[in-house]
Amino acid sequence: MKKFTLLFSVAALLCTQVKAQDSLTIRKMYDEALVNGQCYENLHYLCKNIGQRLSGSANAQKAVDWSKKLMDGYGFDKVYLQEVMVPHWVRGAKEEAAIIDGKTRIPVPIVALGMSIATPKAGITANVIEVKSIKELEGLGESVVKGKIVFFNRAFDPRFIETGAAYGNAGDQRFMGPAVAAKLGAAGVIVRSLTEIIDDYPHTGATLAAPGSKMIPAAAISTKAANKLSAMLKLRKFPAAKFYFKQNCELLPDVKSYNVIGEITGSENPNKFITVGGHLDSWDLAEGAHDDGTGVMQSVEVLRIFKTVGYKPKNSVRAVLFMNEENGHKGGTKYAELAAQNKEQHIAAIETDEGGFTPRGFSFADVSKDFIKKVNDNFKSILEPYDVDKLTIGGAGTDIEPMKETVPGVVLIGFRPDSQRYFDLHHTAKDVFENVNKRELELGAAGMAALIYLIDQHGL
Ligand SMILES: [Zn+2]
């Protein structure tokens, strides 16, 4: 009995020492991020000297070249490009739109949805059918929908605490709505912007073509305009208000592009990997600051922090700057394919693509309640002093998602910052560097460095 108690106390003592060592190392990483951090400056360069970087564009290539050079400069063990073919969609000349109320034309802020086709040169003018869901549209049938402009107007549900959940809840209107309307013979589609804020900034984003079926022009209008149009449709039953829009976008042939990868090679297990990444491409309306400039610059910063504080990971740690998250996910798919082809073992992959806001914690995809309890037992108290200790079951990220199929056993993790302001900016002309807070950005990078350190040391 005595011997057992003694063994138990030795184990407890060792455990306390390990935790103390972990706490000291993590403190050092935070100090480095907050005192000598470089991700804010790097983000400034990406946003102001390169700017928007839609897949296939010259700017996307500039971002590839620059971020590779940046990581080369940090002296990571490996820095390389991973070739991938990506779609090349271009917006063309600025879109225009108006509500036509008798002889009055009320201009409407509008942006084409990514991957949409152009309208005819003269634009489309037609009667409008307002619906709140795809189901409602399907219920109307072809006889009602044919030749009309379908207006999807289901707002964000404010009862969701996480705004990402509200986005997921309303998102099918943009992703799938235009394809369904096309099948029913609609002339075009306008979608209420996917945001809770009521303003005059329309939000772009990709829409999906139904395989084998024709596409119709699809665009997003601002929330203010959506409210106005809806009110007008209720007011003017006859003669009904009409809608006009014109857009000039085009899908060009695919272009060769790249994921950009930096790596610190593991001292014990060079063929076991922990990935941290975001996406290098962005929409074309602004600078892709929060979406996802913050994510890619934080990922690079994680490796820089490790190197600067002299932490040599046991497993290989990679920063991956994925290409083409926004309109095709080709970079993420390629990374997962090559991971399997090269017989890499992956312990975990963390994606940061929810904006560079105040960190709250991490969500673990497709894990059991027991698993998340163990993660909390092991890591929560160490992360608590930094307010990044909310460890839950939840989503991970679009770029790392394909790894689930190709590298069994990998744990997919999403970095979770505060979500309340993200969809005020997401995919709009407001997503600029000035809307990123330096400390919030740095705390996020440090939080990810801390979690990766813990996983590297103790596994999952
Ligand atoms: Zn994103």
Side-chain angles (χ1 to χ4, degrees), residues 3-22 458:
K3 197 171 162 194
F4 177 78
T5 316
L6 185 66
L7 276 176
F8 186 76
S9 355
V10 170
L13 184 67
L14 280 175
C15 183
T16 313
Q17 279 174 352
V18 166
K19 282 215 163 163
Q21 183 55 49
D22 287 346
H458 308 294

Side-chain angles (χ1 to χ4, degrees), residues 279 281 290-292 325-326 353-354 422 426-427:
H279 62 88
D281 64 305
H290 277 287
D291 190 13
D292 186 19
E325 189 272 346
E326 294 293 5
D353 185 20
E354 310 261 319
Y422 188 44
H426 182 251
H427 298 183

Side-chain angles (χ1 to χ4, degrees), residues 80-84 259-263 272-277 316-323 329-342 344-351 399-403 406-407 410 412:
Y80 58 99
L81 304 179
Q82 205 168 59
E83 191 179 309
V84 58
N259 293 328
V260 187
I261 300 178
E263 182 181 307
K272 280 191 182 172
F273 296 90
I274 303 170
T275 296
V276 57
S316 294
V317 178
R318 274 188 190 150
V320 182
L321 284 48
F322 293 97
M323 185 49 72
H329 319 152
K330 301 290 186 200
T333 307
K334 178 59 86 180
Y335 183 71
E337 264 173 34
L338 290 178
Q341 212 173 296
N342 297 331
E344 295 168 357
Q345 280 178 276
H346 285 258
I347 300 167
I350 302 175
E351 180 149 356
D399 293 301
I400 57 175
E401 187 88 8
M403 293 174 75
T406 64
V407 280
V410 63
L412 302 182

